[in-house]
Amino acid sequence: MPSIPAALPPKALCRTCDTSQFAFKTTDDLDDGDGVIGQERAIEAIDFALGMDAAGYNVFAAGPRGIGKHRLVTKLVEETAQQRPTGCDWCYVYNFHDARRPDAMSLPAGSGAQFVDAMEQLVKDLSSALTSAFSSEDYRSNLQSIQDTVEQQQGQALEALRKQAEPKGITLLNTPMGYGFAPVVDGQVMQPDMFNQLPAEEKQRIEADIKALQEALKTVMQKMPALLQDVREQIRALNEETAEFAISGLIESLKSRFSEFDEIVGYLGMVHDDVTSNIELFLASQQGAEQAPGSPPAGERNTDAFFRRYQVNLIVDNTGARSAPVVYEDEPTYERLIGRIEQRAQMGALFTDFNMIRGGALHRANGGYLILDARKMLTQPQAWEGLKRALWASEIRIEPISGAMGLPSTTTLEPEPIPLNIKILIVGDGMIYHLLHANDPDFGSLFKVLADFDERVERSEGSTHHLARLTAKLAREDNLRPFDAEAVGKLIDDLARAISDAERLSTNVERLEDLMQEANFLAGRAGAGLVNAAHIDQAIDARTRRLSRVSERMQSEVTRGTVMIDTQDEVVGQINGLAVYSMGQASFGKASRITARVRVGKGDVIDIEREVAMGGPLHSKGVLILSAYLGARYAPNTPLSLSASLVFEQSYGGVDGDSASSTELYALLSALSDVPIRQNLAVTGSVNQHGEVQAIGGVNDKIEGFFDLCNERGLTGDQGVLIPESNVKHLMLHPRVVEAAKAGQFHVYPVTTIDQGIEILTGVPAGEPDADGTFPDGTISARVAARLAEFAAHRAQFGRQQNGQDA
């Protein structure tokens, strides 16, 4: 039979950092750490992914918040980026063949800004050169010559008609309604009254002559459009020749400057052709300049829009970059990732062109690395789908979000897609990773590398020294006061307490940094130039007080007698269980009264919490194990003729978890054996079918919760808590509990079996069966076996009576 364990020694209740191992006095004596704690597995995964050029080897960095995922990912990516070439500049230019589909152009880093400036200067130079060319005497002389020629030809034709009409007494008139013929007398146009008085033959002759002349005039006028068209063609040719002379040198000079870029040279050739074919719009844009002949009416001109076509829209500018781009997008909406096409209102309508295309994070990170926050991205409409489309297609296609969703869009542009070469690193918690992997069939193919960050690291001399250097780094980065060695030891102890494990340390850098900030503030308020251990303790106590309102309120209801919890005397079938409550940042333990009642039955152990739907599945599982344990140990060869009920008294919320299953079993054994349980003890631990007590969570909160209740009522020296022996390594109790244990006022008992626990609780040995399965007299097991045998006899007698009545 296992021996009854003694209470744990005080030193086993909390493992404190041995600061004698530190060779420094303050953190000023230390070099910087890496900014994270441990994470070798995650670092290896990220290094592997950054070195892989194959498609799909993007990274999901998974782990709880605060452990430095983003900090480490950024550091590793920036180090790798230093070994990679800089990204390209990207710009959009006007498509002279289809204005709805702007062309994308890639240039070496820094060349894009130079190209933008060169084109802006070119437009200014072209305007000046063209204005001068079209204001020159040569141009005006040639233009006048063309205009004089057409006027001369028109005048000669009309003069011939006039001479043809004069011998017939008819003249050619130029009226507001156009040209016409009329009879004359003595050099004056004949009045209608005089014409009507002429003899009929004379009138007929004049009308016939006029008709013939009008036919001749009609022939002349029909030739005029062709003549005017010929003149316009001559003027257009003159304009193009003049423009060619004015602009060819400027554009050729720019071609020479950018001769190494075939795309720019080809684009400038198209600019040359477009300028010469639209020269009238250039001239019309000059204020104070005369309108060029052949240009459209002023109402039809849109020179502002025309000149915008020669601008260059630089959407990615890597001027000054020395390495591949590393971009973190803090607000990963669809448009901030993929890019957008802006619009502006003009004359009551929406207007857009290629100059209003804006790049997104994918453009800026192209050729490098993009870091995203999983939760932020997944909460933005279409952001995740847009990112996946870009990765699958290996190109960035800018389209409005309405178009991506299949809705009608007012935007008419379809910018040329830009090739995408990028490594994506998404930072998020593990739950998001597993949900995406399980529910999105694309995820596994696009994010093949998991960088799994651990929330804890083994507590060793190496990790302790690493944490000391990290403390020094954070103190310098945040401009904090130096921390002495004792303070660093307290910070390390807090990281162990954060995960309730004396052999492990939390990797939560955010928690460490917060505590350092708070202790530094308290040190400053006290006028200290150095942060010491007392400041750390004060910061921890202040944080606990800020979060303890609910726990204190619940504790006060117990001490006032509203919630019934005994901490003295002995009671049959009643025991103090322990539970943990978590509310936001607050986590605390609370005692609960658990009672058991037994009677003759069919072997059922009724969980009242489950019956009223207040018990969770894990709690119900623990209760079902109790039936199996009782039957196998105490009634292996006979029916278990027991009906028992278990309940958490004054429980008004849900109950889940199996950490109270051993507690409930102790209550059942007490009720069956009719042996009272000490109420100055509380119990936690789960149990298996063999009666072995198993580890549970929240052991520190549970012990401290019962200790605080006992302490408030007055410590008597015999109070304590039973915990699973496998939880001893998790003990990181508050100094107030450790001090009470040192004074012999409070005890923590580690147990491995139910037999050990029931003997501590009742003071009566549990008893081991002999070869015949018989338990020693007076033991708990003997009393339980006898009570179950009595129940079986009563049940058998009742069954015979029932059968007799039926007969």
Side-chain angles (χ1 to χ4, degrees):
M1 177 177 178
S3 61
I4 304 304
L8 290 171
K11 65 179 182 179
L13 302 183
C14 182
R15 176 182 173 182
T16 57
C17 181
D18 180 11
T19 57
S20 64
Q21 64 182 303
F22 296 147
F24 63 91
K25 292 183 178 180
T26 73
T27 51
D28 282 347
D29 302 330
L30 294 173
D31 297 330
D32 288 351
D34 296 334
V36 293
I37 309 169
Q39 311 304 350
E40 289 80 7
R41 187 195 314 274
I43 292 173
E44 291 173 5
I46 295 172
D47 284 341
F48 167 75
L50 295 179
M52 286 289 294
D53 292 329
Y57 283 87
N58 299 299
V59 180
F60 193 104
R65 179 182 176 85
I67 63 176
K69 299 188 301 294
H70 189 276
R71 189 194 306 253
L72 179 59
V73 167
T74 302
K75 175 178 178 291
L76 295 176
V77 168
E78 288 179 345
E79 290 175 354
T80 303
Q82 296 298 321
Q83 313 303 320
R84 300 287 299 275
T86 58
C88 296
D89 290 347
W90 281 96
C91 58
Y92 276 105
V93 296
Y94 185 77
N95 185 338
F96 296 100
H97 303 295
D98 187 351
R100 291 183 61 253
R101 293 178 170 84
D103 291 325
M105 189 179 294
S106 172
L107 298 171
S111 300
Q114 298 176 19
F115 186 37
V116 170
D117 295 340
M119 288 305 298
E120 289 180 354
Q121 187 60 44
L122 176 65
V123 170
K124 294 177 183 178
D125 294 343
L126 289 177
S127 299
S128 176
L130 289 170
T131 300
S132 297
F134 282 88
S135 300
S136 67
E137 285 298 325
D138 286 346
Y139 174 76
R140 291 180 181 277
S141 175
N142 291 332
L143 178 63
Q144 190 63 46
S145 175
I146 295 172
Q147 293 173 338
D148 290 346
T149 299
V150 68
E151 291 175 359
Q152 181 181 1
Q153 291 177 353
Q154 185 179 10
Q156 289 174 351
L158 293 174
E159 183 62 25
L161 285 175
R162 183 178 291 108
K163 289 180 178 180
Q164 183 180 349
E166 283 180 355
K168 299 177 182 180
I170 298 173
T171 186
L172 176 64
L173 299 177
N174 187 1
T175 70
M177 301 298 293
Y179 289 102
F181 293 95
V184 293
V185 176
D186 298 330
Q188 300 293 326
V189 176
M190 185 181 295
Q191 297 298 319
D193 292 342
M194 183 180 293
F195 179 79
N196 291 332
Q197 294 175 4
L198 293 175
E201 292 181 0
E202 182 66 14
K203 289 196 292 184
Q204 289 177 357
R205 182 191 65 77
I206 293 174
E207 289 176 347
D209 289 341
I210 289 176
K211 183 176 181 181
L213 290 169
Q214 286 177 335
E215 288 296 325
L217 176 62
K218 181 178 180 182
T219 301
V220 171
M221 298 307 294
Q222 285 177 342
K223 295 179 180 179
M224 284 298 172
L227 180 61
L228 293 175
Q229 179 63 31
D230 181 60
V231 171
R232 283 195 292 269
E233 291 296 332
Q234 293 182 52
I235 294 175
R236 183 175 293 109
L238 174 63
N239 289 343
E240 290 181 358
E241 181 182 352
T242 304
E244 174 70 22
F245 176 78
I247 71 173
S248 59
L250 295 172
I251 292 181
E252 287 302 321
S253 175
L254 206 56
K255 284 184 177 180
S256 177
R257 177 181 172 184
F258 291 99
S259 60
E260 58 182 309
F261 306 119
D262 293 339
E263 282 189 285
I264 292 182
V265 172
Y267 170 73
L268 289 173
M270 289 186 284
V271 170
H272 174 278
D273 296 341
D274 192 69
V275 170
T276 55
S277 61
N278 293 280
I279 191 62
E280 293 82 5
L281 290 177
F282 266 100
L283 296 175
S285 69
Q286 306 301 310
Q287 293 185 353
E290 297 180 2
Q291 179 177 337
S295 64
E300 297 178 8
R301 295 183 224 126
N302 190 352
T303 56
D304 289 342
F306 173 77
F307 280 109
R308 286 175 63 86
R309 74 173 71 187
Y310 301 120
Q311 294 178 359
V312 175
N313 181 9
L314 184 62
I315 64 170
V316 177
D317 184 6
N318 282 310
T319 301
R322 297 288 185 269
S323 60
V326 177
V327 176
Y328 170 65
E329 179 52 62
D330 184 58
E331 188 181 354
T333 63
Y334 174 84
E335 291 185 340
R336 291 180 69 88
L337 281 176
I338 308 300
R340 66 189 185 280
I341 303 173
E342 295 179 342
Q343 297 174 327
R344 71 167 183 260
Q346 182 175 328
M347 303 295 291
L350 293 177
F351 164 81
T352 189
D353 67 6
F354 76 97
N355 287 291
M356 302 177 75
I357 299 172
R358 301 292 178 260
L362 286 174
H363 295 90
R364 300 194 307 275
N366 201 3
Y369 308 90
L370 176 60
I371 303 172
L372 299 170
D373 182 275
R375 190 176 299 276
K376 290 180 180 179
M377 179 179 59
L378 293 172
T379 55
Q380 296 294 336
Q382 288 295 310
W384 173 240
E385 293 300 323
L387 177 64
K388 288 196 301 180
R389 281 196 298 271
L391 291 176
W392 276 125
S394 295
E395 64 180 22
I396 314 169
R397 182 181 297 274
I398 301 178
E399 61 178 341
I401 189 171
S402 55
M405 298 173 67
L407 301 175
S409 172
T410 59
T411 303
T412 57
L413 295 183
E414 296 180 14
E416 180 184 1
I418 290 178
L420 180 63
N421 176 25
I422 198 171
K423 187 76 70 175
I424 306 290
L425 298 98
I426 295 181
V427 179
D429 59 54
M431 180 186 69
I432 294 178
Y433 171 82
H434 293 296
L435 285 174
L436 286 173
H437 210 287
N439 296 287
D440 190 332
D442 298 330
F443 179 74
S445 298
L446 294 175
F447 290 85
K448 296 182 178 180
V449 178
L450 167 64
D452 198 0
F453 282 72
D454 200 344
E455 72 275 9
R456 60 187 64 200
V457 66
E458 183 179 355
R459 186 173 185 176
S460 63
E461 184 176 346
S463 61
T464 299
H465 283 281
H466 182 90
L467 267 170
R469 292 194 301 273
L470 175 58
T471 302
K473 175 183 175 66
L474 296 175
R476 278 189 278 270
E477 287 181 352
D478 298 339
N479 295 317
L480 306 180
R481 292 168 178 80
F483 287 68
D484 66 19
E486 295 295 330
V488 172
K490 288 284 187 179
L491 291 171
I492 293 173
D493 291 343
D494 183 72
L495 290 177
R497 180 173 166 79
I499 56 172
S500 293
D501 197 329
E503 299 176 355
R504 299 288 185 271
L505 295 173
S506 170
T507 58
N508 193 322
V509 180
E510 182 177 348
R511 178 187 177 99
L512 172 65
E513 193 167 8
D514 288 347
L515 184 55
M516 291 175 63
Q517 292 275 9
E518 294 163 16
N520 179 74
F521 167 75
L522 294 173
R525 193 162 66 176
L530 193 69
V531 180
N532 57 36
H535 298 133
I536 303 293
D537 287 337
Q538 291 170 19
I540 294 173
D541 291 343
R543 180 176 60 192
T544 302
R545 176 166 172 75
R546 289 194 300 270
L547 302 174
S548 62
R549 184 189 64 82
V550 175
S551 62
E552 289 178 358
R553 176 69 58 84
M554 297 177 70
Q555 190 85 294
S556 69
E557 295 303 318
V558 177
T559 56
R560 294 171 63 194
T562 306
V563 177
M564 294 185 291
I565 302 290
D566 292 333
T567 55
Q568 57 184 0
D569 299 328
E570 298 178 344
V571 181
V572 173
Q574 176 178 302
I575 193 170
N576 293 323
L578 297 172
V580 173
Y581 291 76
S582 295
M583 298 179 181
Q585 297 180 1
S587 177
F588 57 91
K590 175 183 174 293
S592 298
R593 174 181 287 181
I594 300 174
T595 60
R597 300 296 297 271
V598 296
R599 61 189 182 279
V600 178
K602 299 178 180 179
D604 300 324
V605 177
I606 299 173
D607 175 14
I608 294 180
E609 254 70 30
R610 181 181 62 181
E611 296 298 317
V612 297
M614 290 178 63
L618 294 179
H619 179 257
S620 299
K621 172 190 173 184
V623 173
L624 292 174
I625 289 175
L626 306 186
S627 299
Y629 172 80
L630 290 174
R633 182 170 176 84
Y634 299 112
N637 301 314
T638 58
L640 185 62
S641 304
L642 163 74
S643 180
S645 60
L646 292 166
V647 66
F648 280 72
E649 303 289 358
Q650 293 183 283
S651 172
Y652 306 106
V655 176
D656 200 8
D658 63 349
S659 65
S661 59
S662 69
T663 314
E664 293 169 317
L665 182 53
Y666 292 136
L668 275 176
L669 294 176
S670 172
L672 285 168
S673 65
D674 201 29
V675 176
I677 288 177
R678 293 168 55 188
Q679 301 300 296
N680 54 9
L681 297 176
V683 180
T684 184
S686 68
V687 66
N688 61 27
Q689 294 187 105
H690 300 287
E692 297 169 329
V693 179
Q694 303 169 139
I696 44 79
V699 64
N700 292 295
D701 288 330
K702 292 176 178 179
I703 294 172
E704 291 169 6
F706 189 67
F707 170 82
D708 289 339
L709 174 59
C710 295
N711 189 43
E712 188 164 346
R713 286 179 169 175
L715 295 175
T716 60
D718 55 2
Q719 295 151 328
V721 176
L722 277 68
I723 67 169
E725 193 276 335
S726 52
N727 276 125
V728 172
K729 58 182 174 291
H730 300 138
L731 293 179
M732 286 295 297
L733 292 170
H734 192 276
R736 65 181 185 275
V737 182
V738 178
E739 291 301 319
K742 287 181 180 178
Q745 296 295 302
F746 195 80
H747 311 280
V748 177
Y749 299 95
V751 297
T752 57
T753 65
I754 291 296
D755 287 350
Q756 290 178 341
I758 195 66
E759 184 168 346
I760 294 172
L761 289 167
T762 62
V764 178
E768 287 288 333
D770 58 19
D772 297 330
T774 303
F775 295 98
D777 291 338
T779 61
I780 295 291
S781 296
R783 292 169 181 255
V784 171
R787 187 74 176 276
L788 290 175
E790 180 183 343
F791 284 170
H794 285 307
R795 182 181 175 189
Q797 181 180 359
F798 180 76
R800 288 192 295 271
Q801 292 176 351
Q802 287 291 104
N803 291 334
Q805 291 176 1
D806 292 341

